[in-house]
Amino acid sequence: HDRAVKHFGLTGQQMGYLKYINENPGTSQEEMAKAMRIDKGAVAKAIKDIKELAQNNNLLTYVSLFSSAGVGCYGFKLEGFRCIATAELIERRIAVQKYNHKCDYESGYICGNMTLPEVKKQILDEIQMWKDLYKISSPDVLIATPPCQGMSVANHKKSPDKEIKRNSLVIESIEMTRS
């Protein structure tokens, strides 16, 4: 019982509901509420929470860095992955992601420069929130699509100083995996 409570993140009361359901198969929520002397709404909520927690054990998540309008993540969404955080420098690109409901939480949309400590902290705080709420150990996937114009042979107008700085954004992605 205590191991299950700890492992699944269930409360003792929710474990009581589970035990009652297992011992009395076919019991309706109304019968269960009456037998346990609790509100039917509490039973329905606990069952919903228990099912959600059980599903969360199979929860697939990702973080997207330099995500532009979020097109690169669309396939992950179609496959049932949930976006913990998305970081992009340009506000209108974040607006497209919001329109498409990419993240579960508003706080997951992070607009800012990935080289700044406060932006990195926002991403790490969002990951921590998911660890606390959903009991994940870490995101399953890190999608990083830093700018590549500086590496392109087709870009004849590149300035060496600007491109060296922009090309180093790959390092920011690698550093996030170490956090």
Side-chain angles (χ1 to χ4, degrees):
H1 175 270
D2 289 336
R3 277 184 44 198
V5 168
K6 185 176 180 182
H7 178 71
F8 292 108
L10 302 176
T11 66
Q13 186 179 24
Q14 288 171 326
M15 284 306 296
Y17 298 148
L18 272 181
K19 184 178 179 191
Y20 189 88
I21 291 167
N22 286 336
E23 291 173 356
N24 302 284
T27 304
S28 72
Q29 288 182 12
E30 286 177 9
E31 293 170 316
M32 191 172 144
K34 186 177 178 183
M36 296 182 74
R37 297 185 187 130
I38 54 175
D39 178 69
K40 180 184 171 191
V43 172
K45 183 182 181 327
I47 290 171
K48 180 180 173 262
D49 289 349
I50 290 165
K51 286 179 180 177
E52 187 174 306
L53 284 165
Q55 288 175 343
N56 288 339
N57 287 332
N58 297 320
L59 185 69
L60 296 171
T61 60
Y62 69 94
V63 171
S64 179
L65 308 177
F66 312 100
S67 50
S68 190
V71 176
C73 306
Y74 187 67
F76 283 90
K77 183 174 181 172
L78 288 178
E79 290 301 316
F81 282 74
R82 292 172 65 189
C83 181
I84 292 174
T86 182
E88 171 54 45
L89 182 62
I90 301 171
E91 181 64 41
R92 70 178 180 271
R93 293 177 181 169
I94 290 285
V96 172
Q97 294 181 44
K98 287 180 179 180
Y99 179 81
N100 290 320
H101 309 288
K102 181 177 174 178
C103 295
D104 286 22
Y105 300 99
E106 185 70 23
S107 57
Y109 300 101
I110 300 165
C111 187
N113 185 335
M114 276 292 301
T115 63
L116 300 175
E118 58 269 19
V119 173
K120 292 177 191 176
K121 183 180 180 323
Q122 280 182 281
I123 295 166
L124 295 174
D125 287 349
E126 205 64 22
I127 293 169
Q128 187 59 52
M129 181 184 80
W130 278 69
K131 286 179 177 182
D132 295 341
L133 286 175
Y134 297 101
K135 309 300 183 222
I136 65 167
S137 58
S138 63
D140 295 293
V141 178
L142 173 67
I143 302 169
T145 55
C148 60
Q149 293 92 329
M151 296 176 215
S152 171
V153 293
N155 186 358
H156 301 289
K157 299 177 186 178
K158 57 187 168 192
S159 90
D161 293 337
K162 184 178 179 184
E163 297 310 326
I164 288 171
K165 193 173 193 179
R166 193 169 14 187
N167 289 347
S168 70
L169 292 173
V170 171
I171 304 301
E172 297 297 330
S173 304
I174 294 167
E175 288 179 358
M176 282 300 294
T177 65
R178 295 179 182 156
S179 300

